């Protein structure tokens, strides 16, 4: 569109080609300089009648009324026009209104619109060809007027919309020049909008003239777009800027003009609360339909499920809904088909999704209801469209083994007589919560206790042994004690002066002691046995001799009184002997 | 001596306390059994649930599982069978019923086959339970200590040698039995697996609602818990796949 578009055309008759009767009033310039003249033309199209001229008292009629009429046939269509022209000169500065012209056509009154004429100071601004001289010697004021001969506008179909609702923006060129070359065009950057261009087409003048304040303009639509606001709030559009070269001809290089359009504001309302769960941002008016091609089929055959959204709105933003299919169904990604066109009514058409579904196992399945919801800006409400549910009955496909790895939900096992086993009925099998024995104090006492006992016991024994073997004096005392204990009976006999009993007790004590020490019963002990055992234990000969002496003395004392030693000394010797033995016998 | 006496009294007292709960549980258990026998599974379930807080072990969970099964609540049923197995993993009745219940759920996950030794070891490990192994520990401790004493007192070299090695082996067996008791206790009480309760769960790649769905699980499937992150559990299924599940979607065994 930025490419230079040249528009060449012949002078169009200022006549509408329409069949309908109409009355229009036009002026050839507005504003008008006080020194200038202008033409008022009242045109009646396709009809006949007496035109009632409005009051022209604010102006001086320089020329007129002059009448003209034309008749022509274009493509078999007849059209006629009759017109009355007045050439007028303003009397004073200011703004004046030319009133309404009327005509009575077959009992129907046609009227024109009133025209406000602004009378300004200075030289006149001529139209097109007649004004070239003044245009070339233009000043600033002049230029202002020139600009009025070329205008661009942005026209919006709506100013207040919901977010996502479509707005049609038209970029319009209005011109009074006959000859115009369009140069650079700067369309606004559309921040906050998602836009869709109308299909490109040749720019051409509209058949109807646009009359603004009584002045006729030719009109062309440069571009049209559908805008979808994405941001709520007041969005002001940037101006549309157009450069053009006007009045170029063979003799004239023409004039470059740059014009800026208005900057309209679109107020975007946020969508109301309470959107349904399935709402995904579709705004517009839609129909929703879904269809399947079959309900009864064999496993591994294909089902086509088609989901179609028809209507006008932001169709291109609609995504395939995530439908829930049974696990046994193999579902391929849907194929999206668009039939969307951009027309004067906005974006319209349909978007459809085609799912290819292959059930892998026989059985009865159902695809749950599908929901599509959208916001309808006309009613200002959310609407929900539904389709389905669909039931499928899949027959067994014999001879076709399901693919390995495909999951298959298992139904209730249908083997007759199969059931769970019966409950436990013995209530004594219950145990209290956390009544576990493992980890309790009792457990630790039971398992570690014996070892603790063992260690304590061994420790005690070792200590005692150490005491027994290491401390000599204590050991002797101990030996002394043993001897005295052994000789207690002998001591009693000694005090009683019973000599024979005394020796007998001494002998008994010695034999008893040795018997205990060597672990040999008294009955088996004889004098020789004792001597040999003592030898074996490595006892000194002097000690052994002492033992022999004591035993012999005791033997002898049985038969004859002992005279060699006194009883008292003998007792002491025996005690010493036992003490000695205690130290040496282990 | 006095201290030990008090300790024993305290232990005895605590046993007494829990004993009152167990009596109530036993009554409810009997009532539940009667109702179950008549086919009134709803009532049976209520009685079993009444008994549940005061007792634990295989019997209550097995019966709860059966009642849930009869009422068609398969995820709950599987949860209780799994709990029952915690107390005796080799119980045939529980295994049989669990296999039937597992046939009714949607997901079927191939379990890797186990060797004969693995099966034997598993059975052996949990056969006595923590208490059984604990009692064995005490018996072994006594035997070992007696053998050590024999070693200490005996005069015969052969006896001493035998007693020493016997005692040593006894001690090693004690350590082994203790280890098994610990492992049996962990198996029973450490929460390491869970059952899915929501009909359909998207397992996520991250512990966050918006993350990618890795795979889909359905109610009744057993998952192993690997870790926990806030309100999310990292789970692993028998086939080896891993992902994250929100805590409300599952119940711990």
């Amino acid at each position: 569109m930025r490419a230079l578009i040249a528009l060449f055309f012949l002078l169009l008759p200022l006549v509408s080609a329409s069949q309908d009767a109409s009355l229009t009033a036009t002026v050839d310039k507005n504003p008008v300089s006080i020194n200038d003249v202008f033409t008022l033309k009242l045109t009646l199209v396709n009809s006949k009648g007496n035109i009632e001229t409005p009051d022209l008292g604010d102006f001086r009629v320089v020329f007129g009324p002059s009448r003209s009429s034309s008749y022509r046939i274009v493509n078999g269509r007849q059209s006629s026009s009759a017109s009355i022209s007045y050439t007028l000169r303003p009397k004073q500065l200011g703004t004046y209104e030319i009133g309404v012209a009327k005509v009575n056509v077959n009992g129907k009154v046609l009227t024109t619109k009133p025209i406000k004429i602004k009378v300004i100071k200075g030289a006149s601004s001529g139209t097109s060809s007649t004004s070239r001289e003044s245009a070339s010697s233009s000043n600033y004021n002049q230029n202002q007027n020139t600009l009025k001969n070329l205008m661009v506008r942005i026209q919006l179909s709506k100013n207040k919309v919901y977010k996502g609702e479509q707005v049609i923006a038209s970029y319009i060129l209005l011109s009074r020049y006959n000859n115009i070359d369009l140069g650079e065009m700067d369309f606004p950057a559309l921040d906050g909008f998602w836009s869709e261009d109308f299909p490109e087409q040749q720019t051409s003048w509209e058949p109807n003239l646009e009359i603004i304040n009584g002045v006729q303009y030719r009109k062309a639509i440069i571009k049209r777009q559908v805008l979808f606001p994405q941001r709520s709030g007041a969005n002001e559009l940037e101006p549309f800027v157009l450069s053009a070269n006007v009045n170029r001809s063979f003799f004239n290089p023409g004039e470059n003009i740059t014009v800026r359009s208005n900057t309209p504001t679109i107020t975007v309302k946020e969508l109301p609360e309470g959107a349904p769960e399935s709402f995904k941002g579709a705004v517009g008016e839609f129909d929703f339909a879904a269809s399947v091609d079959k309900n009864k089929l064999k496993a591994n055959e294909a089902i086509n499920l088609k989901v179609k959204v028809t209507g006008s709105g932001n169709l291109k933003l609609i995504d395939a809904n995530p439908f829930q299919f049974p696990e046994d169904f193999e579902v391929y990604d849907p194929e999206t088909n668009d039939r969307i066109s951009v027309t004067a009514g906005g974006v319209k058409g349909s978007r459809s999704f085609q799912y290819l579904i292959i059930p892998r196992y026989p059985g009865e399945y159902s695809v749950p209801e599908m929901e599509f919801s959208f916001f309808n800006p006309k009613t200002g409400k959310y609407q929900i469209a539904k389709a389905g549910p669909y039931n499928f009955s899949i027959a067994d496909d014999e001879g076709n083994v399901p693919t390995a790895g495909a999951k298959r939900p298992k139904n209730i096992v249908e083997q007759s007589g199969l059931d769970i086993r019966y409950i436990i009925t013995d209530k004594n099998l219950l145990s209290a919560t956390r009544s576990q024995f493992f980890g309790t104090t009792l457990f630790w006492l039971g398992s570690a206790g014996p070892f603790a006992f063992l260690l304590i016991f061994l420790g005690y024994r070792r200590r005692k042994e150490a005491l027994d073997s290491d401390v000599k004096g204590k050991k002797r005392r101990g030996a002394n004690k043993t001897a005295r204990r052994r000789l207690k009976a002998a001591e009693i006999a000694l005090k009683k002066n019973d000599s024979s009993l005394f020796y007998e007790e001494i002998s008994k004590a010695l034999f008893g002691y040795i018997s205990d020490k060597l672990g040999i019963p008294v009955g088996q002990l004889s004098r020789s046995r004792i001597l040999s055992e003592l030898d074996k234990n490595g006892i000194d000969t002097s000690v052994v001799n002492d033992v022999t002496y004591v035993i012999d003395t005791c033997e002898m004392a049985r038969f004859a009184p002992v005279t060699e030693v006194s009883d008292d000394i003998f007792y002491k010797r025996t005690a010493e002997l036992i003490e000695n033995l205690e130290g040496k016998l282990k | 001596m006095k201290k030990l006496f008090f300790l024993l009294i305290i232990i005895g007292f605590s046993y007494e306390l829990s004993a009152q709960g167990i009596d109530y549980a036993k009554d409810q258990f009997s009532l539940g059994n009667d109702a179950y026998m008549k086919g009134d599974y709803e009532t049976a379930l209520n009685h079993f649930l009444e008994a549940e807080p005061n007792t634990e072990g295989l019997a209550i969970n097995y019966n709860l599982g059966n009642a849930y099964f009869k009422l068609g609540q398969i995820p709950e049923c599987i949860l209780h069978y799994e709990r029952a197995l915690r107390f005796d993993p080799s119980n045939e009745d529980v295994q049989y019923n669990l296999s039937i219940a597992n046939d009714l759920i949607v997901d079927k996950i191939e379990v890797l086959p186990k060797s004969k030794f693995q099966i034997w070891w598993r059975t052996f490990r949990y056969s006595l339970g923590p208490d059984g192994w604990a009692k064995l520990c005490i018996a072994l401790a006594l035997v070992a200590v007696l053998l050590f004493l024999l070693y200490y007192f005996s005069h015969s070299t052969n006896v001493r040698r035998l007693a020493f090695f016997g005692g040593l082996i006894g001690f090693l067996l004690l350590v082994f039995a203790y280890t098994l008791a610990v492992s049996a206790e962990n198996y029973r009480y450490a929460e390491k697996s869970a059952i899915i309760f929501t009909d359909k769960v998207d397992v996520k790649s991250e512990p966050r609602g918006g993350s990618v769905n890795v795979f889909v699980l359905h109610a009744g499937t057993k998952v192993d818990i690997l870790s926990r992150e806030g309100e999310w559990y990292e789970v692993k299924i028998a086939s080896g796949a891993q992902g994250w599940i929100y805590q409300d979607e599952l119940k711990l065994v």
Side-chain angles (χ1 to χ4, degrees):
Chain A
M1 278 304 277
R2 276 174 179 271
L4 185 93
I5 297 171
L7 298 167
F8 294 105
F9 44 86
L10 296 166
L11 275 168
L12 273 175
L14 302 177
V15 166
S16 155
S18 118
Q19 285 287 89
D20 297 327
S22 66
L23 179 68
T24 52
T26 59
V27 289
D28 63 344
K29 47 190 107 151
N30 186 14
V32 188
S33 162
I34 183 93
N35 303 319
D36 209 352
V37 293
F38 68 96
T39 309
L40 169 70
K41 193 172 187 180
L42 305 170
T43 312
L44 176 62
V45 181
N46 289 340
S47 188
K48 281 177 180 167
N50 268 329
I51 298 168
E52 212 176 290
T53 311
D55 177 30
L56 298 170
D58 291 331
F59 305 93
R60 200 178 301 139
V61 178
V62 178
F63 180 76
S66 67
R67 293 170 194 276
S68 71
S69 65
S70 68
Y71 178 80
R72 54 183 187 147
I73 302 171
V74 178
N75 292 339
R77 293 171 75 191
Q78 300 180 8
S79 63
S80 67
S81 75
S83 61
I84 303 173
S85 304
Y86 294 92
T87 305
L88 303 170
R89 185 187 289 279
K91 288 176 178 171
Q92 280 176 317
L93 291 176
T95 306
Y96 303 96
E97 193 177 270
I98 298 173
V100 176
K102 288 179 192 165
V103 66
N104 196 323
V105 181
N106 303 334
K108 208 173 142 192
V109 179
L110 298 174
T111 57
T112 61
K113 285 177 188 164
I115 301 170
K116 274 187 179 165
I117 301 287
K118 204 173 173 187
V119 182
I120 55 168
K121 275 186 195 171
S124 73
S125 71
T127 54
S128 53
S129 50
T130 59
S131 68
R132 186 155 314 128
E133 258 169 66
S134 56
S136 55
S137 63
S138 64
N139 52 29
Y140 177 76
N141 243 340
Q142 207 79 26
N143 203 21
Q144 280 273 312
N145 292 329
T146 320
L147 287 181
K148 285 283 164 108
N149 290 330
L150 184 69
M151 291 195 283
V152 285
R153 287 190 171 181
I154 300 175
Q155 215 171 55
L156 298 173
S157 62
K158 284 172 207 161
N159 284 324
K160 279 188 177 176
V161 290
Y162 283 104
K163 196 163 143 184
E165 185 183 351
Q166 50 187 0
V167 181
I168 299 166
S170 311
Y171 301 92
I172 294 168
L173 173 72
L174 295 164
S175 169
R176 299 190 67 204
Y177 295 107
N178 285 339
N179 196 341
I180 178 167
D181 276 340
L182 296 185
E184 219 162 273
M185 283 181 271
D186 219 349
F187 292 101
L190 297 162
D191 275 352
F193 295 92
W194 179 72
S195 67
E196 187 79 31
D197 286 1
F198 276 55
E200 226 170 278
Q201 59 189 46
Q202 190 78 36
T203 307
S204 64
W205 298 112
E206 301 273 299
N208 290 331
L209 294 165
E210 181 102 354
I211 300 166
I212 298 168
N213 244 345
V215 183
Q216 287 177 316
Y217 288 91
R218 275 169 307 175
K219 177 179 168 188
I221 295 173
I222 309 266
K223 182 181 171 177
R224 280 194 295 183
Q225 276 181 317
V226 181
L227 307 181
F228 296 95
Q230 306 292 307
R231 204 163 55 192
S232 56
N235 289 290
E236 190 182 3
L237 295 181
E238 288 170 27
F240 163 45
V241 181
L242 178 131
S243 312
N245 183 290
V246 295
N247 289 337
R248 184 155 63 180
S249 69
F250 187 72
F251 305 103
N252 194 326
E255 191 183 354
N256 280 323
I257 303 173
T258 301
V259 284
R260 294 163 71 86
S261 78
N262 55 336
T263 55
T265 302
I266 302 179
T267 311
V268 182
K269 289 181 276 184
E270 193 65 53
L271 295 180
E273 297 279 309
E277 231 173 85
S278 53
F279 182 69
K280 296 262 167 61
V283 177
E285 275 179 284
F286 301 104
D287 276 331
F288 176 70
S291 62
V292 287
D293 60 347
K294 51 193 144 183
N295 292 94
K296 285 188 180 176
L297 63 158
K298 284 181 181 173
N300 294 325
E301 283 181 0
I303 303 170
N304 278 306
L305 172 65
K306 200 173 176 188
V307 180
K308 192 173 183 183
V309 180
T310 322
S312 83
N314 48 2
L315 274 167
K316 286 195 177 168
L317 297 183
I318 293 170
D319 282 333
N321 281 23
F323 293 120
Q324 264 207 340
F325 294 102
E327 288 282 319
D328 273 356
F329 282 22
E330 217 170 296
V331 182
Y332 294 92
D333 281 344
E335 194 185 310
T336 310
N337 282 312
D338 283 347
R339 282 200 185 155
I340 300 174
S341 58
V342 184
T343 65
V347 176
K348 273 184 183 166
S350 70
R351 170 166 269 201
S352 62
F353 305 99
Q354 189 146 3
Y355 291 86
L356 182 68
I357 303 160
I358 300 177
R360 291 298 184 200
Y361 298 95
E364 299 288 330
Y365 298 94
S366 78
V367 174
E369 203 171 49
M370 290 174 263
E371 236 184 56
F372 172 75
S373 55
F374 58 93
F375 178 74
N376 189 336
K378 281 201 179 148
T379 58
K381 279 176 187 159
Y382 291 100
Q383 272 176 273
I384 300 175
K386 286 179 181 178
Y390 297 104
N391 292 312
F392 297 100
S393 128
I394 314 298
D396 202 358
D397 173 24
E398 278 169 10
N400 212 340
V401 182
T403 9
K407 268 192 237 161
R408 123 146 262 198
K410 290 156 285 167
N411 288 322
I412 301 258
V413 184
E414 283 173 330
Q415 187 182 326
S416 66
L418 187 77
D419 197 2
I420 54 169
R421 291 185 187 165
Y422 197 61
I423 49 169
I424 293 172
T425 46
D426 185 0
K427 67 177 181 183
N428 291 320
L429 286 173
L430 291 184
S431 50
T433 349
R434 283 276 177 178
S435 60
Q436 188 175 280
F437 168 66
F438 175 63
T440 59
T441 327
L442 210 59
F443 164 74
W444 289 112
L445 278 177
S447 54
F451 289 98
F453 167 75
L454 182 70
L455 288 177
I456 292 166
F457 175 76
L458 290 182
Y460 173 73
R461 284 285 300 214
R462 178 135 324 153
R463 191 158 154 261
K464 195 157 176 260
E465 257 172 38
L467 278 176
D468 284 355
S469 63
D470 291 351
V471 188
K472 261 191 178 171
K474 192 166 184 188
K475 204 148 192 209
R476 181 157 307 141
R477 248 179 288 137
N480 231 336
K481 234 188 241 167
T482 322
R484 270 181 220 290
R485 207 174 61 229
R486 294 279 174 185
L487 295 172
K488 201 153 197 175
E491 208 183 342
I492 293 163
L494 182 69
K495 277 180 185 157
K496 282 183 185 165
N497 261 336
D498 188 342
S499 189
S500 68
L501 185 64
F502 169 73
Y503 284 105
E504 205 181 318
E505 288 298 334
I506 292 265
S507 161
K508 228 191 245 174
L510 187 61
F511 269 75
Y513 174 75
I514 290 170
S515 148
D516 283 358
K517 266 291 178 195
L518 298 181
I520 303 164
V522 184
Q524 289 173 21
L525 273 185
S526 60
R527 181 173 173 272
S528 54
R529 178 84 191 269
I530 288 173
L531 295 182
S532 69
E533 286 290 333
L534 286 179
D535 255 356
K536 237 192 246 169
N537 277 288
I539 307 292
D540 295 345
T541 9
S542 63
V543 180
V544 176
N545 285 344
D546 271 0
V547 172
T548 327
Y549 168 72
V550 172
I551 291 171
D552 289 351
T553 311
C554 287
E555 285 290 308
M556 277 195 328
R558 280 195 203 173
F559 311 105
V562 177
T563 49
E564 292 148 55
V565 286
S566 72
D567 293 350
D568 200 27
I569 291 166
F570 185 69
Y571 170 78
K572 275 179 184 161
R573 263 185 90 166
T574 314
E576 262 169 39
L577 174 65
I578 290 175
E579 233 171 83
N580 236 337
L581 279 175
E582 180 70 27
K584 283 172 183 163
L585 276 179
K586 283 272 153 91
Chain B
M1 249 340 244
K2 254 188 182 177
K3 271 185 188 168
L4 189 68
F5 183 64
F6 275 122
L7 195 68
L8 285 176
I9 284 181
I10 288 165
I11 292 168
F13 190 60
S14 60
Y15 269 99
E16 193 56 42
L17 269 181
S18 56
Q20 284 174 0
I22 192 71
D23 284 341
Y24 178 68
K26 279 179 181 172
D27 290 345
Q28 290 295 325
F29 189 73
S30 299
L31 288 170
N33 285 351
D34 293 344
Y36 189 95
M37 201 168 72
K38 287 174 197 150
D40 184 359
Y41 303 122
E42 198 86 42
T43 315
L45 178 67
N46 287 336
H47 285 302
F48 290 148
L49 285 174
E50 196 65 28
E52 194 188 12
N54 292 311
T55 180
E56 66 172 15
L58 184 131
I60 182 69
N61 281 307
Y62 176 73
N63 285 14
L64 268 169
N66 274 15
Y68 275 125
F69 183 93
K70 292 291 182 183
L71 292 169
Q73 289 166 262
I74 302 302
E76 285 88 348
C77 158
I78 290 176
L79 178 74
H80 285 286
Y81 284 153
E82 291 284 354
R83 280 187 184 159
L85 284 182
R86 286 289 174 87
F87 292 91
D88 184 0
S90 49
N91 186 293
E92 252 190 56
D93 287 344
V94 183
Q95 283 179 342
Y96 178 80
N97 288 3
L98 180 61
S99 74
I100 288 183
N102 271 329
D103 278 341
L104 299 182
I105 63 169
V106 178
D107 294 335
K108 184 177 173 139
I109 299 157
E110 282 307 320
V111 180
L112 300 171
K114 282 182 177 162
S115 73
K116 271 193 178 164
F117 174 74
Q118 277 175 312
I119 295 169
W120 173 83
W121 170 242
R122 191 183 150 85
T123 316
F124 170 73
R125 210 162 133 194
Y126 304 125
S127 55
L128 294 182
D131 285 0
W133 290 118
K135 281 168 191 159
L136 189 66
C137 277
I138 291 176
L140 285 169
L142 289 174
V143 169
V145 166
L146 284 177
L147 285 171
F148 282 132
L149 283 175
L150 183 62
Y151 157 78
Y152 190 77
F153 282 112
S154 172
H155 291 289
S156 155
T157 336
N158 279 341
V159 172
R160 281 164 62 96
R161 193 177 290 160
L162 272 177
F164 181 76
F165 283 109
L168 208 60
I169 288 169
F171 180 73
L172 290 177
L173 283 176
L174 162 69
V175 172
F176 182 62
Y178 176 76
T179 319
L180 288 182
V182 170
S183 94
E185 189 190 27
N186 280 343
Y187 174 75
R188 185 170 290 182
Y189 295 112
E191 297 164 341
K192 279 204 176 148
S193 58
I195 304 295
I196 305 284
F197 264 66
T198 318
D199 285 344
K200 176 179 164 287
V201 179
D202 292 324
V203 184
K204 303 282 184 183
S205 65
E206 291 168 28
R208 182 165 54 76
S211 61
V212 177
N213 296 349
V214 191
F215 52 93
V216 177
L217 290 181
H218 298 87
T221 304
K222 183 188 175 192
V223 294
D224 288 332
I225 306 274
L226 298 178
S227 68
R228 190 183 176 151
E229 187 73 52
E231 296 173 325
W232 291 78
Y233 284 107
E234 186 180 22
V235 301
K236 184 179 179 179
I237 54 173
S239 70
Q242 293 184 16
W244 292 85
I245 294 181
Y246 190 64
Q247 61 180 8
D248 291 353
E249 324 246 46
L250 45 75
K251 275 193 185 167
L252 297 171
V253 172

